[in-house]
Amino acid sequence: MRIDQAHLSWVEISRDSFFHNVQEFKKRLGPTQLMAVVKANAYGHGLLEIARLAGEAGIGWLGVNSIEEGMTLREAGIGQRVVILGYVPLTKAKEVVRYDLRTIIYNPDNLKALAEAARQLKKKAFIHLKVETGTNRQGIPIKKLGNIYKLIKARPEVVLEGISSHFANIEDTTDDFYPRFQLQNFIEAINWFKNQGVEIPIKHIACTAASILFPETYFDLARVGLGLYGLWPSKETLVSCRRRGQEPLKLKPVLSWRARVAQIKPVPRGAYIGYGCTYRTTRPTKLAIVPVGYYDGYDRSLSNTAYVLIRGKRAPVRGRVCMNFIMVDISDIPGVKLEDRVTLIGTDGQDRITADQLAALAGTISYEIISRINPLIPRMVI
Ligand SMILES: Cc1ncc(COP(=O)(O)O)c(C=O)c1O
């Protein structure tokens, strides 16, 4: 039985759209290599599904957040280079080496643990240093590079493969002051190593917005997440792109989220709908009950504000989003039947609902809308 016949809701992944987006970025990046950022269950698209598609598309690098995500990739037979972008607990250093994963390093203690694991396993530990350039998240201050480099030089099992950083304020503004400041700091760190006679092979700082807007940030590798999934990081990114006279990438959303109608229910004028009685009908109303709620990742702030598509038409959410259900108004949609397809994100007929629209309604960003779709919901590549 197919996923879409057997589940309450499911996520469809368009392979054509993904490949199309990869080509758009490859064209933009030229010789710079591409990393598909597949952390957070590939931004909700399905870790293994996207890792496999990335492999087919010839992407040689994958970026995950945790050791567990890295191990999942390896256990599924994924062979690309995998960089853990997040934190790895000291006790997990051996797994990093055993599973041929790379880590971002910014603490001497993690470096030592990794070197010791590699020594014991008689293998190499490939590391990418993360430099603090102004995001003040992970990263080594430039003035501490000397200390960490001393440790690296003392451990022959450690291979300094990469140096990286991450932009703080590239999506939220059309002002390029802060990215340029961070880029300058990154170049200073690269030059610090050059002055020691060390050329680090893989330098990387670019994310989606940088890949679209700033060729000077490309270096050897670009870590692209959202763009590969067919979404723009922000309106500001698109505005900046147009202002600079750059051709905007033609991105196609990869993900659609669908469910089915679980009940059709006529209610009279004046009926209250759902928890808290926050909605009261103003006319005799036909409701469709949809088996998706905030547990599934349909945010509760979409209560009484969002809509879904059924038979190509908009059905507004009435009342509060429950843990496992929403109620939608189908009074103006003729012919809706039990188990009819419901579109929460995606296209149906002439209309569509985008992650950006839901994000605007929920007061958040598309990154959160898609990455929080419950990983237990099946993903289906079509
Ligand atoms: C370290 C790092 N690199 C790259 C990315 C990819 O960013 P984007 O999805 O905007 O391309 C992220 C995403 O949050 C990240 O944390």
Side-chain angles (χ1 to χ4, degrees):
M1 197 179 294
R2 286 172 30 176
I3 284 171
D4 56 344
Q5 293 167 340
H7 289 83
L8 300 180
S9 87
W10 63 97
V11 169
E12 295 171 359
I13 299 301
S14 161
R15 130 201 214 101
D16 287 352
S17 298
F18 183 76
F19 289 155
H20 167 88
N21 300 331
V22 171
Q23 285 317 315
E24 287 290 286
F25 277 93
K26 282 192 170 174
K27 262 191 275 169
R28 196 68 146 212
L29 292 166
T32 295
Q33 296 180 70
L34 185 55
M35 172 190 285
V37 179
V38 295
K39 65 181 185 166
N41 200 29
Y43 292 36
H45 291 62
L47 175 65
L48 293 179
E49 287 79 0
I50 295 295
R52 289 193 187 110
L53 290 180
E56 279 181 53
I59 297 179
W61 295 81
L62 297 172
V64 296
N65 177 58
S66 66
I67 175 81
E68 287 78 14
E69 289 171 340
M71 288 164 68
T72 301
L73 289 174
R74 288 289 181 254
E75 279 161 9
I78 305 287
Q80 287 117 296
R81 277 163 290 185
V82 174
V83 182
I84 304 172
L85 302 170
Y87 182 71
V88 178
L90 296 169
T91 53
K92 296 281 186 176
K94 260 199 176 154
E95 269 75 17
V96 172
V97 180
R98 200 175 277 137
Y99 279 76
D100 286 320
L101 303 169
R102 288 146 161 86
T103 45
I104 295 283
I105 287 288
Y106 42 92
N107 291 319
D109 285 348
N110 295 93
L111 176 64
K112 287 179 201 159
L114 206 58
E116 186 50 27
R119 192 189 65 76
Q120 286 178 19
L121 293 169
K122 299 189 171 44
K123 289 180 76 171
K124 296 281 185 204
F126 290 84
I127 64 159
H128 292 223
L129 284 186
K130 185 135 190 182
V131 182
E132 181 52 73
T133 57
T135 298
N136 288 313
R137 193 169 74 175
Q138 305 149 292
I140 312 161
I142 293 175
K143 59 178 185 300
K144 296 249 172 85
L145 288 178
N147 299 355
I148 203 120
Y149 185 50
K150 220 185 270 171
L151 288 175
I152 294 170
K153 273 201 301 194
R155 306 303 299 245
E157 44 297 284
V158 172
V159 180
L160 178 53
E161 181 180 56
I163 181 164
S164 73
S165 196
H166 189 51
F167 289 113
N169 196 24
I170 198 159
E171 295 95 3
D172 293 273
T173 172
T174 53
D175 183 347
D176 62 7
F177 162 75
Y178 209 69
R180 293 208 181 281
F181 164 74
Q182 288 195 267
L183 179 61
Q184 241 0 84
N185 292 338
F186 188 53
I187 291 169
E188 191 185 326
I190 292 167
N191 287 340
W192 185 91
F193 279 98
K194 279 198 180 135
N195 291 337
Q196 311 297 309
V198 180
E199 178 69 41
I200 302 179
I202 310 289
K203 300 173 273 299
H204 49 110
I205 187 168
C207 54
T208 295
S211 301
I212 292 173
L213 297 175
F214 297 101
E216 55 275 54
T217 65
Y218 291 176
F219 297 97
D220 306 293
L221 175 70
R223 306 184 307 264
V224 179
L226 198 74
L228 292 182
Y229 305 117
L231 301 176
W232 279 72
S234 63
K235 288 195 180 86
E236 287 80 358
T237 311
L238 183 57
V239 169
S240 297
C241 188
R242 292 225 165 95
R243 262 200 202 159
R244 288 148 179 254
Q246 293 166 331
E247 178 70 18
L249 272 66
K250 292 181 185 63
L251 299 179
K252 296 185 181 174
V254 170
L255 175 151
S256 305
W257 187 9
R258 319 255 191 212
R260 67 184 69 250
V261 172
Q263 189 182 5
I264 296 162
K265 177 175 298 188
V267 295
R269 180 172 179 272
Y272 294 105
I273 299 175
Y275 290 126
C277 296
T278 60
Y279 188 86
R280 192 172 191 193
T281 55
T282 55
R283 58 174 177 168
T285 297
K286 204 192 262 184
L287 295 177
I289 315 305
V290 181
V292 167
Y294 57 79
Y295 171 68
D296 302 289
Y298 198 78
D299 200 273
R300 193 163 172 275
S301 65
L302 298 172
S303 300
N304 283 312
T305 51
Y307 56 88
V308 301
L309 297 175
I310 302 177
R311 296 186 168 236
K313 298 212 162 55
R314 296 182 181 196
V317 174
R318 299 298 193 211
R320 284 197 186 142
V321 174
C322 313
M323 189 181 283
N324 300 112
F325 288 101
I326 51 175
M327 289 71 89
V328 300
D329 189 338
I330 53 166
S331 308
D332 298 322
I333 310 177
V336 178
K337 294 197 176 60
L338 184 69
E339 301 214 351
D340 265 4
R341 192 179 70 160
V342 178
T343 298
L344 304 150
I345 298 176
T347 300
D348 182 13
Q350 300 302 308
D351 209 345
R352 65 179 186 154
I353 302 175
T354 65
D356 285 315
Q357 285 166 337
L358 288 189
L361 293 172
T364 183
I365 50 176
S366 62
Y367 291 81
E368 186 178 358
I369 293 290
I370 53 177
S371 68
R372 291 183 65 194
I373 300 176
N374 192 320
L376 296 175
I377 295 172
R379 270 67 177 168
M380 186 168 92
V381 178
I382 54 170

